[in-house]
Amino acid sequence: MPTETKFDSEGFDLGASDNKEAAEVIYEIGGGATSIAPPLQKEEEHKNSDDSPIAEAERLKELGNNEFRQKNHLDAYDYYTDAIEASPIGEGMGPSGKELLKLREEFDEEQRERQAERHRRDMERRRGQGKDKDGQDKKDEDDGGNTNDDAEEVEQRPAEFIPPRHTYGSKIAVYYANRAATSLHLGRHEEAIEDCDIALLYNPTYVKALLRRCTANEHIEDTEGALRDAKRAYELDPTNAVARKNVARLQKIEEERLEKLKEETMGKLKDLGNSILGNFGLSLDNFAAVQDPNTGGYSISFNQNK
């Protein structure tokens, strides 16, 4: 079971809004507020007016925040869901959260297909570099192959999915991250992970979404994913004490997990080796690896008496 992590979700950092004219502030559960650089004056007036496309979603988010403060997590969950559904999507705005997930899945599938195709081409190339019909070594007939090799090298570099932007992406990311917070309190860790995924597609540098996904990943015992999120959060905000502590704690847990996995793997390999050597009346105990102190290399010695 993962180490119980206290999930602090109380309070708002009102001090983050001292300069309201310089930036737009989005209050969030869990403390703190996200400041967004002010857009053009015309857009600012439109976004803050009652007929703004995001106004109803913002109102529902505030209702969710009120319920969350009172620990009414189910009601808060419903209000955040309503805020998500009230968010404008489509032409001129941007994709919905589900559409973003679908686009990412399609991108990942395309990358897998490309990797499989590269592997197939490599196999064919290796098969073709043998002997010709006269038994002579084949030479690479593609003297100008460097260009192709360079192109393939560029193609093999890991691609990164870049989601399309949404006009109100930073605000919608908060709705999803807030709903993820309620899911954590309700024990819905898989839902929390998906909501944080969407929040990070809308706002890839959203530290709170990374930390909430970190918590959810640890609860489902994915310490590798939890550590990855904690490191990314700390990279984005080196002053974040929660991220710093999570990196240190999860790094230790992950190292212990890998060491245990290594021991289990070596044990299985030893059992396999003994099962084979047993047919000859031997075991791995008859062999010892001796390191040369001068070269650092190893030699295998055999002892019949063991």
Side-chain angles (χ1 to χ4, degrees), residues 180-191:
T182 65
S183 292
L184 286 173
H185 281 282
L186 295 169
R188 302 173 180 175
H189 302 117
E190 295 287 355
E191 285 188 42

Side-chain angles (χ1 to χ4, degrees), residues 148-163:
N148 293 334
D149 291 342
D150 292 342
E152 286 190 8
E153 182 179 351
V154 172
E155 186 180 348
Q156 290 178 14
R157 293 173 186 169
E160 179 183 0
F161 174 62
I162 301 177

Side-chain angles (χ1 to χ4, degrees), residues 209-222:
L210 284 165
L211 292 177
R212 287 169 189 166
R213 190 171 67 180
C214 169
T215 300
N217 276 326
E218 186 176 3
H219 274 286
I220 64 171
E221 299 185 5
D222 180 8

